[in-house]
Amino acid sequence: MNAISASAPADLKAQFPGLAGGWHYLDTAATAQKPQAVIDATVRAMGADYATVHRGVYARSADMTLAFEAAREKVAGLIGAPAQELVFTRGATEAINLVAYTYPRKGRVLLSTLEHHSNIVPWQLAGWQVDVCPLTADGQIDLDAAEAMLTPEHTMVAFAHVSNVLGSVLDAPRAAELAHAVGAKLLLDGCQAVPRLAIDVAALGCDFYAFSAHKLYGPTGIGALWGRAELLGAMPPWQGGGAMIDRVSFAGTTYAPPPQRFEAGTPAIIEAIGFGAAADYVRAIGLDAIHAHETALVAELRAALRARNDVTLFGPEESAGIVSFALDGVHSHDLGTILDEEGVAIRAGHHCAQPLMEHLGVPATARASFGLYSEQADIAALLRGIERTRRIFG
Ligand code: PMP
């Protein structure tokens, strides 16, 4: 296993132009900064290498098609999946919408209290009956409760693999077992997990996996849905257009097999190439090393915040790269604003998880989230900023 040593993040940071100038960026769960390798790959794809894919008869387009499909293999490989089971989408949000709208056995879906709005609203809009699994006292999805709630009417369970607010890591194999025991499928929202954990969808036992490139140090505007071949094969097209057809006629149109069936129109070519470069980048560093590095930073920050005695900490001790907290008597937006003056960027708000805020009994939390480039100096700057905020607010 590689290791990101205490000093290595400084070297890694230098690979990220967005972090120049000593900015203490602690909002990687919202979106990750981009390494130069990803930027270079997208610039090349948009410049010297640019052409359309899948249709051109000239060499440049054939080369671009190979690069585009190679990117699909790299992204699929990152989660242990075959390329033909990986659909490029606009992001995790679109990936979940795609399943919510096209999964043919639409019935009851079991979600949890900690889900991001993008794993709640699509199911509501697409007409599913939504049930909500509660959390344990320390902010994990309560799988004992899930077991008691699941019935043969449930055709889908959709849980966050890692919570974007609490950093809680789901016991995915057990969730899969519970879902399958009643004949349901398991969709994992892997947005926060793919940048932080080594993922193997076969070992997890899930049926669908959704994630976004921009949280994985890649470009915005692209993400992926992995689905088991037989499940994708049974799903009808969602959006119509070019590239998703077999044969079009006014008498009746037939459709391409997955993944092309779900990729109507000219794809996000440049972004896909950047997504592939991002997959290469994290693989080279090693997801186990990234996980160990972020876990150590979480432990350090939680210990320092607990020692203050004026901070409420949310979520489990063992969380993946994310720490949510409240500074007693200070609104998280005020804290975020003062921290910004100190060159520290955190997220303050409901984090697109309003049902979770209601459960926690707070309108908002402050959230510090780490990336592979985060370092102890970022924590020190955050703690200095919190201390200054305390002096201002008394
Ligand atoms: N799920 C989780 C857990 C997330 O953190 C996010 C992004 N904050 C999303 C889904 C939605 O991702 P996107 O906006 O990239 O589609």
Side-chain angles (χ1 to χ4, degrees):
M1 181 178 112
N2 296 326
I4 301 178
S5 69
S7 61
D11 301 335
L12 287 176
K13 259 188 176 171
Q15 299 172 15
F16 289 78
L19 296 174
W23 194 33
H24 297 290
Y25 184 67
L26 291 171
D27 199 17
T28 294
T31 197
Q33 296 292 329
K34 317 305 173 201
Q36 193 61 50
V38 168
I39 297 168
D40 290 346
T42 58
V43 167
R44 270 196 312 277
M46 192 159 31
D49 294 350
Y50 189 69
T52 194
V53 293
H54 295 149
R55 283 179 281 266
V57 292
Y58 41 91
R60 175 86 74 85
S61 174
D63 289 347
M64 199 52 151
T65 303
L66 288 178
F68 179 79
E69 291 303 330
R72 192 192 303 278
E73 283 196 15
K74 292 173 186 185
V75 173
L78 190 66
I79 61 166
Q84 67 274 18
E85 295 185 351
L86 190 112
V87 180
F88 281 132
T89 62
R90 224 161 36 77
T93 299
E94 190 178 74
I96 297 169
N97 273 276
L98 171 55
V99 178
Y101 278 96
T102 64
Y103 187 66
R105 290 179 58 227
K106 202 180 276 187
R108 298 190 87 88
V109 59
L110 183 66
L111 308 177
S112 86
T113 306
L114 60 64
E115 299 310 316
H116 188 280
H117 295 165
S118 62
N119 193 28
I120 300 174
V121 185
W123 306 103
Q124 293 175 323
L125 278 175
W128 292 69
Q129 291 289 318
V130 173
D131 293 313
V132 186
C133 180
L135 307 183
T136 60
D138 69 347
Q140 321 250 21
I141 298 175
D142 184 345
L143 292 181
D144 291 337
E147 186 169 16
M149 291 177 79
L150 280 167
T151 70
E153 277 183 45
H154 289 97
T155 55
M156 189 70 67
V157 175
F159 287 159
H161 192 187
V162 169
S163 158
N164 67 308
V165 180
L166 304 174
S168 334
V169 182
L170 177 73
D171 178 352
R174 180 162 179 228
E177 236 178 78
L178 297 178
H180 295 160
V182 295
K185 301 300 176 199
L186 176 67
L187 178 146
L188 292 179
D189 170 358
C191 250
Q192 300 294 345
V194 170
R196 303 197 155 79
L197 304 173
I199 305 293
D200 176 356
V201 287
L204 294 174
C206 59
D207 303 287
F208 295 102
Y209 203 90
F211 57 110
S212 289
H214 71 100
K215 299 194 195 260
L216 184 73
Y217 311 95
T220 50
I222 191 162
L225 172 71
W226 167 78
R228 291 182 189 280
E230 66 274 19
L231 298 178
L232 292 179
M235 283 157 51
W238 182 36
Q239 295 172 341
M244 50 74 71
I245 51 89
D246 168 35
R247 211 185 131 64
V248 177
S249 85
F250 287 110
T253 292
T254 52
Y255 309 110
Q260 280 75 25
R261 183 186 300 167
F262 305 109
E263 295 179 355
T266 301
I269 302 167
I270 298 157
E271 292 79 358
I273 299 219
F275 199 177
D280 279 348
Y281 184 81
V282 292
R283 252 185 154 166
I285 294 174
L287 264 305
D288 288 335
I290 295 170
H291 180 62
H293 175 65
E294 293 188 16
T295 304
L297 291 173
V298 164
E300 185 177 330
L301 177 58
R302 287 185 75 98
L305 291 176
R306 189 171 298 104
R308 289 190 56 91
N309 294 320
D310 62 350
V311 167
T312 306
L313 274 167
F314 302 104
E317 280 309 303
E318 304 268 299
S319 81
I322 296 171
V323 178
S324 257
F325 62 97
L327 182 59
D328 299 347
V330 180
H331 195 286
S332 60
H333 285 130
D334 293 329
L335 174 62
T337 305
I338 294 170
L339 287 172
D340 183 40
E341 291 166 11
E342 301 278 314
V344 178
I346 61 153
R347 178 84 179 264
H350 56 62
H351 316 293
C352 298
Q354 287 177 343
L356 176 57
M357 295 298 114
E358 201 178 317
H359 166 78
L360 296 174
V362 293
T365 73
R367 181 188 71 184
S369 56
F370 299 116
L372 60 90
Y373 39 61
S374 302
E375 55 181 337
Q376 288 169 328
D378 301 320
I379 294 181
L382 171 62
L383 295 171
R384 278 197 305 276
I386 290 175
E387 186 49 35
R388 185 172 155 236
T389 310
R390 175 50 70 214
R391 284 200 301 275
I392 292 169
F393 280 83

